[in-house]
Amino acid sequence: MRTFDRYGTFKLQIEQPSSVNFMKSWLGSITVLPGHLEVIMADLTIGFWDGPPTPFVTPERFQQIVQCGFTLAMPTSDEPLDKTHVQAYLAAAQAANIPALIGDQRISNPTNFDNLAGRADAVVQDWKQASGVLGYFLADEPDPKQNPQIFTYLGQIVSELRSKDPARSTYLNLLPLGYGPYTDEQDYTHYVERCITEVKPHLLSFDHYPVDSQAGRDGFTTNLRVFRDVCKAHGQPFWGFVDAFPPLPPGKPVPGSSLDHLRWQALEVLRYGASGIMYFTYWTPTPSVFDGTEAMVTRNGTLTQRYNEVKNLNHDLRTLSGGIADALFGRVRATPDVPGGAGDLWLLDSSVPPTAAGERPLSAPLTPAGWDWMTQTAPGYGLVNARNHDVNGFWLSARNDLLDRTFYVLNVVADSGRLYRVTRAAIDDLGPAGWADPHKQNMLGMYFNSNGFWVSYGP
C-alpha cells in the first residue's frame, strides 16, 4: 500500500522488520501494525545526480553527503553499475545511514531490451533483502521520439518490479519543456502523460536548467506548472532538478547558477508542490565537456565552496518544508518591471539563540520572492496578512498552529521605521517606531539595516 499527497507525504509498508532501526532514522514516525511495518515519510526528499565514483564509494564519503543535508543517495552516472559497484554503494550508504536509489546496469538506462522481465527479476533477487533501499532508478530522459517503444520497455520493468518487490519505488527522470525535443506545451503534456500511464513509475522528475534571466526563469516556472498539473491530475508524486553548478562559460551543458539563482530554483520547485529537490550535480562528471568545471565535489574528491553553499541551502529548505520555522516574512518592492514584485523571503525561527541584546539573527534570505509567494507558501504555513502591493510593503505567513497569534512588524525604509500590528483580521498602522520599541520583546527575527525589519509576536 502506498499513498501520496501533493507535498510528498506517503505511507510505505515494508515487509522486513529488521530494517526498522535504519528506516526510522530518516523516515520519521513509524507505526508497527500487524503483519507489516508502516513508515510515514513527510520530509522533503533532497537528492542529486552523480554520486561518488567507485574509488570514493566509502562510508566517509557518504557521510559527507549526509552532512551536506541530503536525504537520498544516488549512484554515479559515469561508469557501469555492476553488482560489485552496487554492493559497495549500498554498504557505504547504509553505514552513513542514508537511503539509496539503486542503479543497476541490467535495468537502468537499458539499450538492450531482451528479456527485460527476467533481468528485473534477477535484480530483485540480488537486492530485495538489502537494507535502506528506497527503490530503483530506471532511466534518464527517455524519449519516445527517438525510440517509440521506450515507454513500453520501461513499463515492463516497472511491472516486474512492482510484482516482485512491492515495497520499493521505481524512479525515472524526464526531459524538459522549452528546449530539446519538446518545445510545445501540448506535446510536452502528452509526453508526461504517456510516461505516467504507460510506465507507471512511483516517482517522476524532470530536469530544466534555466539561464539567469527573466526569460529563463519564466521558462522554468512554466515547466514546473505544466509538469505539476499533469502529475496532480494523475496523483503522481514528482521531484524537480535544479542547476547546482556555479556560473559556467558558454558551451557547457548547463549555464550554472549564482547562489541567488540556485535558491530561487529550489524554492520554485518547492512552491509548486514537489516532494523532492534534486541537484545537478553532486560529483563533477568525467565527460570532457565538463572539463574546467567544479560541482559540489571535484573529480579528485575535494569539497568546493558550492558544497558549503548547498549545505546551508538544504538546511533552510528542510526547515521551510517541515514547518519548523515560526514564520515566513516577505519584504516586497512593487516594481513595474517585475509583475510579481521583487523582494526577499526570510525564515523567522524562535529556536535561534538570541544575542546579548535580545536580537535573533537571521540567515541570508532564501530567495527573491514577490507577491505571488504570499498565496503559495510552503506546506505547513498559511498567510497571516499583507500590505499587498504597497511600495516597500510586506507579507507575513506563519506556521499553521500560529496563524491566530498577533504579530508586530517594524518596517524600516531609509532609516525610518514604522510599526504594524498584524493579525489575520487586519494590519493596524501603529505609527513611527524605532529598533528598540518595546513590542519587540518576543523577537522572531531582525534584519538590522537601513532598509531592515524586525518581527515579534504577542499573545
Side-chain angles (χ1 to χ4, degrees):
M1 168 182 163
R2 195 182 302 255
T3 60
F4 297 80
D5 67 23
R6 65 171 297 198
Y7 298 121
T9 299
F10 64 86
K11 296 180 180 179
L12 173 62
Q13 293 182 1
I14 298 178
E15 304 298 334
Q16 300 161 327
S18 62
S19 301
V20 170
N21 291 335
F22 179 84
M23 304 297 279
K24 187 172 183 178
S25 67
W26 62 274
L27 288 178
S29 60
I30 292 183
T31 303
V32 179
L33 301 178
H36 70 273
L37 170 70
E38 183 178 63
V39 180
I40 302 175
M41 179 179 178
D43 292 338
L44 178 71
T45 297
I46 306 179
F48 52 79
W49 190 253
D50 270 313
T54 293
F56 299 94
V57 176
T58 66
E60 294 75 19
R61 286 294 180 173
F62 276 64
Q63 190 59 44
Q64 290 176 340
I65 293 172
V66 174
Q67 291 167 351
C68 196
F70 291 103
T71 66
L72 177 68
M74 284 282 287
T76 179
S77 67
D78 288 343
E79 59 186 88
L81 301 175
D82 57 23
K83 289 178 63 174
T84 301
H85 178 90
V86 177
Q87 284 176 331
Y89 164 78
L90 291 179
Q94 184 173 6
N97 227 19
I98 184 170
L101 280 171
I102 290 176
D104 187 304
Q105 63 187 13
R106 290 170 288 183
I107 59 170
S108 300
N109 284 322
T111 56
N112 178 343
F113 305 103
D114 295 335
N115 191 28
L116 290 174
R119 283 150 53 185
D121 181 65
V123 168
V124 169
Q125 296 309 311
D126 285 337
W127 310 125
K128 187 175 183 179
Q129 300 305 317
S131 296
V133 177
L134 177 64
Y136 302 93
F137 165 68
L138 299 185
D140 180 41
E141 298 185 338
D143 183 8
K145 291 185 177 181
Q146 294 293 322
N147 181 348
Q149 297 302 310
I150 189 62
F151 284 163
T152 299
Y153 294 140
L154 292 173
Q156 292 174 15
I157 297 174
V158 170
S159 178
E160 187 70 13
L161 294 175
R162 282 181 176 271
S163 172
K164 299 297 177 61
D165 197 0
R168 302 276 173 72
S169 296
T170 53
Y171 162 66
L172 58 88
N173 178 61
L174 293 183
L175 288 156
L177 167 64
Y179 58 93
Y182 294 93
T183 57
D184 176 76
E185 188 171 316
Q186 185 174 358
D187 188 28
Y188 186 74
T189 297
H190 181 60
Y191 166 62
V192 179
E193 284 182 331
R194 279 196 59 194
C195 180
I196 294 172
T197 58
E198 295 178 27
V199 181
K200 298 181 173 63
H202 298 87
L203 300 165
L204 195 60
S205 68
F206 71 97
D207 51 14
H208 183 128
Y209 305 122
V211 175
D212 190 359
S213 67
Q214 190 62 50
R217 290 187 290 273
D218 287 347
F220 184 75
T221 298
T222 296
N223 201 156
L224 270 169
R225 173 183 55 79
V226 173
F227 203 87
R228 185 272 315 272
D229 288 350
V230 176
C231 288
K232 184 177 180 181
H234 292 272
Q236 172 73 57
F238 74 95
W239 299 340
F241 269 87
V242 296
D243 181 0
F245 276 96
L248 299 178
K252 296 300 180 183
V254 294
S257 304
S258 67
L259 180 56
D260 282 345
H261 189 47
L262 174 60
R263 284 176 174 270
W264 176 82
Q265 291 171 67
L267 266 292
E268 283 293 277
V269 170
L270 185 60
R271 186 164 71 94
Y272 273 83
S275 59
I277 294 174
M278 304 289 284
Y279 289 83
F280 184 84
T281 65
Y282 180 72
W283 209 272
T284 304
T286 59
S288 59
V289 71
F290 287 98
D291 288 352
T293 71
E294 290 186 348
M296 292 175 235
V297 187
T298 67
R299 289 171 176 167
N300 67 7
T302 302
L303 305 185
T304 68
Q305 178 181 347
R306 184 48 55 102
Y307 172 94
N308 291 317
E309 292 170 342
V310 169
K311 179 179 180 179
N312 293 333
L313 176 56
N314 283 342
H315 173 270
D316 289 344
L317 292 172
R318 294 178 73 177
T319 300
L320 178 60
S321 68
I324 300 171
D326 296 277
L328 313 177
F329 185 69
R331 297 183 309 151
V332 185
R333 303 178 300 279
T335 54
D337 56 328
V338 183
D344 304 317
L345 173 65
W346 301 79
L347 281 174
L348 309 180
D349 186 357
S350 62
S351 68
V352 175
T355 66
E359 301 168 358
R360 295 192 189 277
L362 300 172
S363 62
L366 283 178
T367 182
W371 294 112
D372 52 348
W373 254 94
M374 72 178 184
T375 56
Q376 299 189 62
T377 51
Y381 301 88
L383 180 67
V384 179
N385 219 317
R387 288 182 60 81
N388 194 0
H389 291 279
D390 286 359
V391 175
N392 298 312
F394 63 83
W395 56 263
L396 179 69
S397 287
R399 212 172 57 222
N400 287 339
D401 59 310
L402 301 175
L403 281 173
D404 292 324
R405 299 291 287 269
T406 297
F407 297 87
Y408 294 93
V409 174
L410 178 73
N411 195 31
V412 179
V413 179
D415 289 315
S416 178
R418 201 161 191 92
L419 184 65
Y420 299 90
R421 181 172 52 234
V422 182
T423 66
R424 299 180 78 178
I427 295 182
D428 299 317
D429 186 341
L430 302 183
W435 291 105
D437 188 277
H439 287 94
K440 80 169 191 176
Q441 181 177 1
N442 297 315
M443 177 74 66
L444 287 177
M446 171 187 284
Y447 177 52
F448 189 72
N449 186 274
S450 295
N451 295 292
F453 65 89
W454 57 246
V455 179
S456 67
Y457 64 92

